[in-house]
Amino acid sequence: MLINCPTFHIQTVVTHLPKLRQIDMKFKISEYPSSYLAIEFNENEKLITEKGSLIYCNGEYAFENKIEAKNYKNWIAKIFGGKSLTYNIYTAKENLKMALSTKDNSEIFSINISEKNPILFEPNLHFARTIDLDIKLEKKDWKSTLNDGLKLKTIGNGKLFLKGYGKIIEQEIDSEKPIFVDEDALIAFEEKLDIKTISRGVKELITSGEGFLFAIKGKGKIWIQTREKGEHS
């Protein structure tokens, strides 16, 4: 006896997820001192840099000027923090190699940025960043700004290149007891850290020759420079 079985039509549903932009560019920072940034571009890859930093390129590229002068916060960061209002965007028209350098005796270092773990840094120390990474003025009250100074905050994922003076030290912090760092030495830190400005009193300030200090607690990374701008590296 034959039994007629029902026929089932199985439909396969394919969900197309948005592709994340993959960074294939290769970066290399030369050794201290007088470091420079060497980049290997694939065609159509882009990089945002400070103006006047290009020193060498062996291929054809497109140039675009990125202006950040419309927002009043950028003007505040420019006037009081030294932030640039215009940047260069380089787009490779073919596979090529490019070299970038700072205008002074500062040293270049890099930080891999995650959207879940933003970095705060001094506005005048930005050097370059990958195209998907944005920066904005940290939002805080005026009292905190007067005490701690202006800071830029990263938004998104990518690679950030900053500049500092002397040797750049990357330090891991994991302490509920305050770690003290000179205000001129601390140039970047992870947002999740608890950082406050302190002073040990006018008398000690005058006799020690030291300025204000940052008291740092929590778990995260900080970046320290061993010299200040104007000093010989």
Side-chain angles (χ1 to χ4, degrees):
M1 182 175 63
L2 296 176
I3 300 175
N4 294 325
C5 296
T7 301
F8 296 93
H9 297 282
I10 301 175
Q11 184 178 4
T12 303
V13 178
V14 179
T15 303
H16 296 281
L17 297 175
K19 291 184 178 180
L20 296 176
R21 189 194 299 265
Q22 184 176 355
I23 299 173
D24 295 321
M25 280 184 290
K26 295 179 181 179
F27 303 97
K28 183 178 180 180
I29 299 174
S30 66
E31 294 183 0
Y32 170 92
S34 303
S35 58
Y36 65 89
L37 174 63
I39 313 108
E40 291 186 22
F41 286 83
N42 292 318
E43 186 178 359
N44 294 323
E45 288 183 327
K46 299 174 183 286
L47 187 70
I48 303 173
T49 75
E50 292 291 322
K51 297 178 69 175
S53 59
L54 176 65
I55 56 175
Y56 166 82
C57 185
N58 70 349
E60 189 175 356
Y61 61 87
F63 168 80
E64 179 185 349
N65 197 234
K66 177 180 173 63
I67 302 174
E68 297 182 344
K70 293 181 180 180
N71 191 318
Y72 76 92
K73 291 183 179 180
N74 287 325
W75 278 100
I76 293 174
K78 166 67 176 177
I79 296 170
F80 297 103
K83 177 185 181 295
S84 296
L85 294 178
T86 58
Y87 301 98
N88 291 343
I89 301 179
Y90 294 105
T91 303
K93 290 188 174 183
E94 57 183 323
N95 294 352
L96 58 82
K97 294 181 180 180
M98 183 180 288
L100 306 172
S101 178
T102 64
K103 297 178 181 179
D104 54 17
N105 65 337
S106 57
E107 303 296 333
I108 303 168
F109 66 102
S110 65
I111 306 175
N112 291 320
I113 304 296
S114 166
E115 188 172 11
K116 296 181 180 179
N117 187 24
I119 298 293
L120 300 178
F121 62 94
E122 297 291 328
N124 62 332
L125 298 183
H126 173 271
F127 180 69
R129 65 184 188 270
T130 50
I131 196 69
D132 289 331
L133 186 62
D134 203 359
I135 54 176
K136 71 173 185 179
L137 187 65
E138 181 194 15
K139 185 178 180 181
K140 57 184 180 180
D141 58 60
W142 283 105
K143 183 178 180 181
S144 299
T145 300
L146 290 173
N147 288 334
D148 305 334
L150 295 171
K151 299 290 185 293
L152 293 181
K153 177 181 175 180
T154 59
I155 304 170
N157 302 296
K159 204 169 188 72
L160 175 68
F161 297 91
L162 299 178
K163 62 181 183 178
Y165 296 88
K167 291 284 285 185
I168 308 301
I169 303 170
E170 179 182 302
Q171 182 71 48
E172 186 84 34
I173 300 292
D174 187 2
S175 175
E176 291 306 314
K177 182 179 178 181
I179 306 296
F180 300 104
V181 179
D182 182 81
E183 63 171 344
D184 294 320
L186 183 66
I187 54 178
F189 54 90
E190 293 181 339
E191 185 187 37
K192 60 187 177 182
L193 287 167
D194 180 14
I195 297 185
K196 295 180 180 178
T197 306
I198 64 168
S199 173
R200 297 186 181 278
V202 176
K203 182 179 179 181
E204 188 172 345
L205 186 68
I206 296 173
T207 56
S208 68
E210 298 177 352
F212 291 96
L213 297 173
F214 285 112
I216 306 172
K217 295 190 297 183
K219 186 175 182 179
K221 291 181 180 179
I222 62 174
W223 287 264
I224 302 170
Q225 63 182 7
T226 60
R227 296 185 184 274
E228 297 178 39
K229 184 175 182 179
E231 294 181 352
H232 294 292
S233 298

